[in-house]
Amino acid sequence: MIVSLLYKVIRKLLTVPSVLLRRGTAKEAELLVLRHENAVLRRQLAGSVRL
């Protein structure tokens, strides 16, 4: 139990610098991908919603 908790905490601490040091272009590319995924999901949802 303690080992599992310690592992999770260490993983979170190690991911923080990678997020902070990421370049602007990588961040913008990720935003583009997320926006595209959002648009696709909205299109899929719009076709199946019945009120």
Side-chain angles (χ1 to χ4, degrees):
M1 176 80 177
I2 293 174
V3 174
S4 174
L5 181 63
L6 185 63
Y7 172 75
K8 288 179 183 180
V9 169
I10 290 174
R11 272 194 69 174
K12 292 289 181 184
L13 288 175
L14 290 176
T15 58
V16 170
S18 67
V19 171
L20 293 176
L21 296 176
R22 222 187 299 176
R23 293 186 179 174
T25 53
K27 288 180 186 177
E28 290 191 22
E30 186 177 1
L31 281 176
L32 277 173
V33 169
L34 291 173
R35 285 182 184 146
H36 181 262
E37 287 178 357
N38 235 356
V40 169
L41 290 172
R42 281 191 183 139
R43 273 186 262 140
Q44 288 175 353
L45 191 66
S48 64
V49 173
R50 294 183 185 185
L51 300 175

